Amino acid sequence: MLSMTGYGSGAFENDRWAVNVFVKSLNGKTLDIFIKSNYNLMSIEFSIRRLIREFVRRGTVNLQVEVRRKDIIEPVDLETLFRNINFFKILREKLSLSVSDDIVLQLATRFSESPREEIDPSLEEAISCALTDALKELLNRRAEEGEHIRKDMEERLTRIEELLKRIMDSKEEVYEKAKVKVMEKAKELGLSENSALVLNEIALILSKMDVEEEITRFKAHLNKSRELFKSQEDVGRKLEFLFQEMHREITTLSNKLPDLSPLAVEIKTEIDRLKQQVANVE
């Protein structure tokens, strides 16, 4: 079980580049990736997103990439600069312009700047290695937090099972009280306890109070939840659905057996806490 929250960092250097990567993930219904950098990463953004998807399947991921160049780049191409200076000097003489040498140098420099280098293979490799390390750390953090969440949810399921057992142990007593109440009412009306009218009334009331189906489904949801706790797949959405179904079943049970509402309310409270926890599970 993996939490959707965590963080990681990675660094990598080669002869030309030094890269530091920081990645943080938060809760999210789907996988959303946001990338920030001091360097233009547009040409490799797809590769970065693909690598992130290999580690993260759900949540909001914020990525920060810091790139520093280690080798020195000449701001201008010297041969081009010399040619441009000669060109502007000739142009000044031909047109008899009153232009200083400083202006000539500024104009020549502007047209002699070294082209901005695109992302080369060595930079792409450095980013990939740093990002991989950051994502591995992120995954470990998410796994650690996911284990804490799993233990907490297992304890809450155990508590729910105990409360459900109390309901199962108490429901026959509730049924018996309902039967006694009908018989007392029949006695007041002068009806025999064995009369068809009384027996039909008892059968109708007990039918309305019957919660066997709700209990059976509830227990099935409990068992399925425990199975998912051991799964290596994405379980967040599946558990969200199961907890919602458990809440629905216990609400129906509570409506049928109002006398056991206090126990049902405790179960609902535990389910609500489970739903809060699973909102952070991938």
Side-chain angles (χ1 to χ4, degrees):
M1 182 177 292
L2 297 176
S3 167
M4 281 192 285
T5 59
Y7 66 91
S9 62
F12 188 86
E13 291 190 32
N14 54 30
D15 293 340
R16 299 186 65 185
W17 304 96
V19 176
N20 289 286
V21 170
F22 305 92
V23 60
K24 179 176 69 174
S25 65
L26 302 170
N27 296 358
K29 292 292 185 181
T30 58
L31 177 58
D32 297 306
I33 302 171
F34 300 94
I35 303 173
K36 292 183 179 180
S37 178
N38 64 330
Y39 202 87
N40 184 1
L41 304 179
M42 185 176 297
S43 63
I44 63 169
E45 183 175 328
F46 178 78
S47 298
I48 291 174
R49 292 179 179 275
R50 182 174 57 192
L51 181 56
I52 292 174
R53 284 194 291 268
E54 292 179 7
F55 289 83
V56 182
R57 289 163 291 197
R58 186 183 177 200
T60 300
V61 177
N62 292 287
L63 175 66
Q64 178 73 36
V65 181
E66 297 179 359
V67 177
R68 178 174 60 86
R69 183 151 192 159
K70 298 170 65 176
D71 58 347
I72 299 175
I73 301 179
E74 295 179 351
V76 296
D77 183 83
L78 292 180
E79 291 186 5
T80 304
L81 177 63
F82 295 149
R83 287 198 301 269
N84 286 341
I85 289 175
N86 290 330
F87 169 78
F88 283 113
K89 283 183 176 179
I90 294 172
L91 187 63
R92 179 179 60 183
E93 295 173 359
K94 293 289 185 181
L95 299 178
S96 300
L97 298 175
S98 178
V99 178
S100 66
D101 288 340
D102 289 343
I103 298 298
V104 170
L105 179 60
Q106 290 180 16
L107 290 171
T109 301
R110 183 181 303 174
F111 291 96
S112 307
E113 293 179 352
S114 298
R116 182 180 178 86
E117 186 175 10
E118 297 296 330
I119 294 180
D120 60 29
S122 63
L123 174 56
E124 185 171 1
E125 177 193 21
I127 293 174
S128 177
C129 291
L131 178 56
T132 299
D133 289 343
L135 289 170
K136 287 179 179 178
E137 183 179 356
L138 172 68
L139 194 62
N140 290 334
R141 300 282 185 181
R142 284 162 62 106
E144 291 174 2
E145 179 63 20
E147 181 63 14
H148 292 310
I149 294 174
R150 183 189 63 79
K151 289 180 179 179
D152 180 79
M153 290 200 294
E154 283 192 336
E155 291 174 0
R156 297 194 183 282
L157 281 188
T158 299
R159 171 64 176 160
I160 289 173
E161 288 171 339
E162 293 171 352
L163 292 167
L164 183 64
K165 186 177 185 305
R166 290 173 60 183
I167 288 177
M168 294 169 63
D169 293 341
S170 302
K171 64 184 176 63
E172 293 300 332
E173 182 180 347
V174 175
Y175 294 159
E176 190 62 30
K177 287 182 179 179
K179 289 167 61 177
V180 170
K181 190 173 181 180
V182 172
M183 290 180 181
E184 289 177 349
K185 186 66 175 179
K187 186 176 181 180
E188 292 176 4
L189 297 174
L191 298 174
S192 170
E193 294 181 358
N194 296 322
S195 68
L197 182 60
V198 174
L199 295 176
N200 286 338
E201 181 67 14
I202 292 175
L204 179 61
I205 290 176
L206 293 181
S207 175
K208 291 181 178 179
M209 297 174 66
D210 182 58
V211 293
E212 290 301 323
E213 289 186 8
E214 286 77 11
I215 290 176
T216 298
R217 287 194 292 265
F218 195 97
K219 291 170 69 175
H221 296 328
L222 284 172
N223 293 334
K224 183 61 178 178
S225 297
R226 289 198 180 279
E227 290 179 8
L228 289 176
F229 286 169
K230 302 175 184 178
S231 174
Q232 300 298 317
E233 301 176 355
D234 303 346
V235 297
R237 290 191 181 91
K238 295 177 182 178
L239 286 171
E240 285 178 356
F241 172 76
L242 287 174
F243 295 155
Q244 185 62 40
E245 289 299 298
M246 287 165 59
H247 193 280
R248 186 174 67 83
E249 297 296 347
I250 200 62
T251 298
T252 303
L253 186 149
S254 178
N255 291 336
K256 289 185 175 183
L257 299 178
D259 291 353
L260 300 180
S261 289
L263 292 173
V265 169
E266 290 190 55
I267 290 179
K268 287 182 182 179
T269 300
E270 294 297 333
I271 293 175
D272 287 339
R273 289 169 180 165
L274 285 170
K275 291 165 71 175
Q276 291 174 5
Q277 286 283 44
V278 80
N280 192 37
V281 174
E282 185 175 82

